[in-house]
């Protein structure tokens, strides 16, 4: 009797089995999958943002530090301190020398040439171009995960600085050099 | 901590599923907001680095151009001082030649005739040299002085233009603000001409120039006169007020006229007073004279002593009250002072000569009609302690707004984090300003090659440098 009554019961629908172990609805499955995908995308994206931020900072710090060091060291050398936390994004720094502009003192050069002045060691202050440096820092490529498209971003930063000039003068000055040049024109008979 | 079975029960309930989904969505939103925040922060960091780099670059450029300007001004000064030395020498040689001719030409012995003949043969060339060096020194020093006066300001503007154009290429919309005393004041506005004259005189004295402009002639001239004139060059040629009057005893005409003036004055003094012979002097009451009877110009040089204070052995009282003083080869003359005390006096030739020398030297210098050196001054920093002065510093601020996309992201984060209650803010919409400072200075630090260069010479040495520095 009991068995017969079981047979007579209509088949149980899926939606009617909610709350029972091992059986979920299609909607719940899709929702779970969407959430999992969502979370995966968020976590992967977060990792990518973190990588990009670290790489960006790496090139910014490297270029700024290199520019300051280059400025203070006559642009002859620039060793870039690398922050430990950004070591995986070590930037490579290159320094290019730029020479541009000078005093442009016009007719003064020819005026001074008239008294034999022009070959003294400190005279080049009038003719020497300004030396500046362009510091370029290139970071390692930041590769986006395949989930985010897999693009590669090459980060770089550029800085300019003005080099400290080396002087060719001596502590006692160069007056004797100029005096000799002038006097050479009127010496003796 | 909630019991796992209760969580499971919550998950199995319809209400629980809704809560869980909402919670997960919230976590997702928070995570996205965090990512956006980190991205925004990275953008702000880049903005900061880029703008600060532009400010640093502008400050470094200004420091470099100002340091170059300072080194150019010191070179202008050095060249001008370098021209002064030869001018001093040729001026001194010409004066020496003229003086020698004044002594030699009136005489008729063979040596002086030779000197006079050589003078006449060489004077035109000497005068030409003098005219040339005067003209060159004046023209060039004036040009250099004018260049020095405006150089700092011009270099400042040029550096700023260069910094602006570089910044425009790197990032659009950067604006600069500049605090630079060189644009409003004149950091190199003080004259260092006195120092230039001293340095030129010292340099000329140690050189082969003095007395050697005309080697075949100069050894025949008054020995030591060119050197003496160059030694006094700062007060003689530069007309500097050294505090002490000029004395030129080496110049024969000056010494001779001074000596003659004093001899004449002494003679007039002796005539006016009662002379004391070397043997016996008898003074009667009517012969006595007082200081008022002497020429006024002579009074400062008359030295008297009371006769009573003279050594007793040196004085003999003659019959009738006369005094005899026979031990002194120059017995001088007698006077009475206001108390009717007898005085024995002397005329101090040395003091008179020294005094007359000043007057005759001044007349001599005036007679030379030396052309003025004004207008060709060398320059020095306007302020003392220039290595620490604000006039030798520059402050540059670079400003730019955050881009619009980052601002919108920031607004979105605020909205999410506040569950929609917070709106847009103006914080990021304001200009972000970053400041950098530079200074230019004479590099006389302890490790520098220019350590120990005294301040007065620092405007004649190309030892100026620049550095980025902290902003005070």
């Amino acid at each position: 009797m009991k068995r017969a009554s079981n047979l007579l019961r209509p088949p149980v629908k899926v939606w009617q089995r909610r709350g029972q172990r091992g059986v979920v609805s299609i909607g719940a499955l899709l929702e779970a999958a969407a959430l999992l995908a969502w979370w995966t995308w968020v976590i992967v994206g977060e990792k990518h943002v973190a990588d990009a931020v670290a790489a960006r900072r790496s090139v910014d710090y490297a270029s700024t530090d290199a520019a300051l060091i280059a400025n203070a060291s006559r642009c002859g050398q620039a060793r870039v301190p690398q922050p430990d936390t950004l070591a995986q994004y070590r930037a490579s720094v290159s320094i290019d020398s730029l020479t541009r502009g000078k005093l442009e003192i016009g007719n003064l050069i020819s005026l001074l040439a008239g008294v034999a002045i022009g070959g003294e060691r400190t005279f080049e202050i009038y003719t020497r171009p300004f030396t500046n440096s362009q510091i370029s820092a290139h970071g390692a490529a930041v590769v986006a995960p395949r989930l985010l498209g897999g693009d590669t971003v090459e980060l770089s930063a550029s800085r300019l600085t003005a080099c400290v000039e080396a002087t060719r003068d001596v502590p006692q000055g160069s007056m004797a050099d100029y005096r000799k040049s002038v006097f050479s024109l009127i010496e003796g008979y | 901590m909630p019991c796992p079975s209760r969580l499971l029960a919550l998950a199995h309930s319809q209400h629980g599923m809704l809560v869980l989904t909402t919670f997960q969505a919230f976590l997702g939103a928070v995570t996205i907001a965090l990512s956006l925040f980190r991205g925004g922060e990275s953008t702000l960091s880049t903005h900061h680095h880029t703008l600060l780099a532009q400010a640093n670059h502008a400050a470094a450029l200004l420091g470099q151009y100002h340091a170059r300007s300072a080194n150019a001004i010191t070179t202008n000064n050095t060249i001008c001082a370098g021209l002064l030395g030869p001018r001093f020498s040729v001026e001194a040689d010409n004066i020496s030649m003229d003086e020698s001719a004044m002594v030699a030409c009136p005489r008729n012995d063979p040596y002086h005739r030779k000197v006079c003949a050589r003078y006449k043969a060489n004077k035109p060339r000497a005068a030409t040299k003098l005219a040339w060096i005067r003209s060159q020194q004046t023209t060039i020093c004036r040009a250099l002085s004018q260049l020095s006066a405006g150089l700092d300001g011009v270099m400042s503007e040029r550096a700023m233009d260069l910094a602006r154009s570089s910044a425009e290429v790197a990032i659009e919309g950067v604006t600069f603000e500049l605090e630079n005393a060189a644009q409003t004041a004149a950091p190199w506005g003080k004259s260092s001409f006195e120092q230039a004259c001293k340095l030129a005189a010292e340099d000329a004295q140690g050189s082969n120039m003095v007395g050697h402009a005309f080697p075949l002639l100069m050894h025949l001239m008054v020995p030591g006169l060119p050197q003496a004139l160059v030694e006094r060059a700062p007060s003689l040629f530069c007309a500097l007020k050294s505090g002490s009057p000029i004395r030129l005893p080496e110049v024969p005409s000056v010494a001779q006229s001074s000596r003659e003036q004093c001899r004449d004055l002494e003679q007039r003094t002796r005539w006016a007073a009662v002379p004391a012979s070397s043997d016996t002097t008898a003074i009667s009451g009517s012969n006595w004279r007082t200081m008022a009877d002497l020429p006024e110009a002579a009074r400062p040089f008359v030295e008297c002593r009371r006769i009573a204070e003279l050594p007793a052995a040196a004085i003999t009282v003659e019959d009738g009250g006369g005094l005899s003083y026979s031990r002194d080869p120059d017995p001088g003359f007698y006077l009475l002072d206001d108390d009717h005390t007898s005085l024995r006096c002397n005329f101090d030739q040395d003091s008179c000569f020294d005094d007359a020398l000043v007057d005759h030297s001044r007349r001599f210098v005036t007679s030379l009609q030396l052309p003025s050196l004004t207008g060709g001054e060398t320059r020095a920093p306007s302020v003392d302690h220039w290595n620490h002065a604000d006039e030798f510093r520059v402050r540059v601020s670079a400003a730019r707004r955050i881009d619009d996309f980052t601002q919108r992201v920031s607004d979105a984060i605020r909205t999410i984090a506040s569950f929609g209650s917070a709106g847009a803010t103006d914080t990021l919409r304001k200009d972000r300003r970053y400041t950098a400072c530079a200074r230019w200075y004479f590099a006389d630090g302890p490790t520098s090659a220019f350590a120990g260069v005294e301040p007065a010479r620092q405007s004649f040495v190309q030892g100026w440098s620049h550095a980025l520095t902290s902003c005070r």
Side-chain angles (χ1 to χ4, degrees):
Chain A
M1 194 65 188
K2 191 176 183 181
R3 181 178 299 236
S5 63
N6 283 343
L7 287 172
L8 288 174
R9 285 178 64 184
V12 177
K13 293 179 180 173
V14 173
W15 63 271
Q16 288 177 322
R17 299 193 57 185
R18 64 181 184 225
Q20 295 184 26
R21 188 188 300 272
V23 182
V24 291
S25 67
I26 297 294
L29 278 173
L30 289 174
E31 185 187 7
L35 274 171
L36 279 174
W38 171 258
W39 274 103
T40 307
W41 187 85
V42 162
I43 290 166
V44 168
E46 173 63 20
K47 174 73 168 59
H48 182 57
V49 168
D51 286 352
V53 167
R56 178 74 252 166
R57 285 187 175 166
S58 170
V59 294
D60 276 337
Y61 287 149
S63 56
T64 300
D65 290 350
L68 292 173
I69 292 168
N71 178 271
S73 65
R74 302 180 192 280
C75 301
Q77 55 180 352
R79 290 184 182 176
V80 187
Q82 192 71 32
D84 291 340
T85 52
L86 304 175
Q88 69 272 31
Y89 291 107
R90 194 177 296 275
S92 62
V93 175
S94 60
I95 298 178
D96 297 321
S97 184
L98 304 173
T99 51
R100 57 186 180 189
K102 55 183 180 180
L103 277 182
E104 294 173 13
I105 52 173
N107 295 330
L108 190 63
I109 299 282
S110 55
L111 196 64
L112 293 173
V115 288
I117 288 175
E120 296 74 15
R121 64 177 183 277
T122 55
F123 188 80
E124 68 172 33
I125 193 79
Y126 298 119
T127 56
R128 185 173 56 204
F130 288 100
T131 308
N132 297 329
S133 278
Q134 177 153 19
I135 292 94
S136 302
H138 299 280
V142 181
V143 183
R146 199 171 292 171
L147 194 62
L148 297 176
D151 291 338
T152 303
V153 179
E154 183 76 36
L155 294 166
S156 64
S158 183
R159 303 283 183 266
L160 284 165
T161 193
C163 305
V164 173
E165 295 183 309
T167 176
R168 298 190 64 200
D169 208 352
V170 290
Q172 61 268 27
S174 300
M175 191 187 304
D177 296 345
Y178 293 102
R179 179 254 299 163
K180 283 175 191 165
S181 300
V182 176
F183 191 65
S184 68
L185 297 177
I186 52 174
E187 189 174 12
Y189 280 90
Chain B
M1 186 174 175
C3 174
S5 60
R6 291 192 67 184
L7 275 178
L8 203 62
L10 182 68
H12 286 174
S13 72
Q14 190 170 8
H15 179 69
M17 282 295 285
L18 187 65
V19 169
L20 195 60
T21 302
T22 307
F23 180 64
Q24 284 178 329
F26 174 72
L27 282 180
V30 168
T31 312
I32 289 171
L34 280 174
S35 295
L36 290 173
F37 174 74
R38 294 195 64 185
E41 190 214 16
S42 177
T43 305
L44 286 178
S45 168
T46 302
H47 184 84
H48 157 84
H49 275 283
T50 313
L51 269 189
L52 185 58
Q54 293 303 332
N56 278 337
H57 177 225
L61 265 182
L62 279 157
Q64 183 191 40
Y65 275 56
H66 277 294
R68 173 70 67 96
S69 164
N71 280 329
I73 290 170
T74 60
T75 310
N76 293 348
N77 292 346
T78 306
I79 291 174
C80 186
L83 278 160
L84 279 174
R87 176 169 172 182
F88 291 164
S89 303
V90 178
E91 294 267 12
D93 285 356
N94 267 272
I95 293 169
S96 302
M97 288 173 70
D98 294 342
E99 279 298 310
S100 300
M102 283 174 67
V103 173
C105 291
R107 300 187 183 179
N108 207 20
D109 57 282
Y111 173 76
H112 285 104
R113 278 209 305 273
K114 181 182 170 187
V115 171
C116 191
R118 286 202 169 173
Y119 167 78
K120 286 175 180 169
N122 286 286
K123 182 57 187 174
R125 197 158 46 243
T128 307
K129 283 184 182 183
L130 183 60
W132 182 83
I133 192 69
R134 277 180 177 176
S135 149
Q136 294 296 331
Q137 185 268 321
T138 307
T139 308
I140 292 175
C141 281
R142 282 184 181 163
L144 291 171
S145 183
Q146 283 174 4
L147 173 67
S148 298
L151 190 61
D152 218 37
V154 171
M155 296 298 272
S156 179
E157 285 178 14
R158 205 181 289 176
M160 210 53 232
D161 288 344
L162 190 60
R164 281 200 180 96
S165 61
S166 296
E168 284 296 328
V169 170
I171 39 175
E172 201 178 334
V174 184
T175 57
F176 283 105
E177 270 186 23
L178 181 65
E179 288 178 39
N180 188 3
Q183 288 188 320
T184 53
W188 288 85
K190 197 170 163 183
S191 172
S192 63
F193 195 56
E194 187 171 350
Q195 182 68 17
C197 285
K198 284 178 186 168
L199 290 174
E202 284 171 16
D203 180 60
Q205 278 181 288
S207 73
N208 64 339
M209 294 188 299
V210 188
H212 288 80
F214 307 95
L216 290 178
L217 181 66
M218 296 311 293
H219 74 282
L220 300 173
M221 302 292 177
V222 183
L225 179 55
Q227 287 79 4
L229 291 173
V230 169
E231 189 182 345
R232 291 169 178 78
S235 50
L236 193 61
F237 303 117
C238 301
L240 297 176
K241 293 173 183 173
S242 62
S244 56
I246 306 171
R247 288 183 175 82
L248 298 168
E250 297 88 352
V251 178
S253 63
V254 171
Q256 190 181 347
S257 52
S258 302
R259 218 170 278 122
E260 281 173 0
Q261 179 187 325
C262 289
R263 263 202 298 267
D264 177 59
L265 197 60
E266 183 179 9
Q267 196 66 42
R268 283 163 51 208
T269 305
R270 284 180 185 277
W271 285 340
V274 176
S277 74
S278 58
D279 298 324
T280 304
T281 300
I283 305 172
S284 65
S286 61
N287 284 345
W288 285 104
R289 296 284 187 272
T290 63
M291 190 68 87
D293 297 320
L294 302 182
E296 191 175 346
R299 288 173 204 164
F301 312 114
V302 173
E303 289 181 348
C304 296
R305 292 180 68 184
R306 289 165 183 260
I307 290 175
E309 293 171 1
L310 292 171
I315 302 169
T316 308
V317 180
E318 301 289 337
D319 294 339
L323 298 175
S324 170
Y325 185 78
S326 57
R327 300 284 175 88
D328 194 334
D330 179 14
F333 45 89
Y334 296 117
L335 292 176
L336 274 183
D337 67 5
D338 294 339
D339 302 329
H340 298 282
T341 311
S342 304
L343 305 171
R344 195 175 74 80
C345 303
N346 285 94
F347 186 85
D348 189 345
Q349 271 285 347
D350 293 341
S351 296
C352 176
F353 180 73
D354 196 50
D355 193 68
L357 203 56
V358 174
D359 191 40
H360 285 273
S361 298
R362 185 176 50 75
R363 285 186 204 167
F364 172 73
V365 172
T366 308
S367 72
L368 292 175
Q369 294 183 323
L370 294 167
S372 170
L373 287 169
T374 51
E377 287 88 355
T378 54
R379 294 187 177 269
S382 305
V383 290
D384 296 331
H385 309 297
W386 45 84
N387 278 0
H388 305 285
D390 286 340
E391 282 78 357
F392 289 79
R393 289 172 185 271
V394 67
R395 172 193 288 260
V396 183
S397 299
R400 184 175 178 265
R401 287 184 184 179
I402 302 290
D403 64 273
D404 200 46
F405 177 75
T406 308
Q407 289 177 19
R408 288 205 303 272
V409 166
S410 174
D411 291 341
I413 295 167
R414 282 171 54 83
T415 306
I416 292 169
S418 64
F419 296 100
S421 63
T425 175
D426 286 337
T427 308
L428 285 183
R429 287 180 170 78
K430 292 177 183 170
D431 277 355
R432 298 225 155 193
R433 188 172 301 280
Y434 297 96
T435 303
C437 294
R439 71 186 185 109
W440 52 105
Y441 58 98
F442 189 83
D444 57 353
T447 58
S448 164
F450 298 101
V453 176
E454 62 264 37
R457 287 184 70 111
Q458 290 183 0
S459 55
F460 293 86
V461 177
Q462 221 182 73
W464 290 72
S465 188
H466 74 95
L468 289 173
T469 183
S470 61
C471 296
R472 291 182 297 177

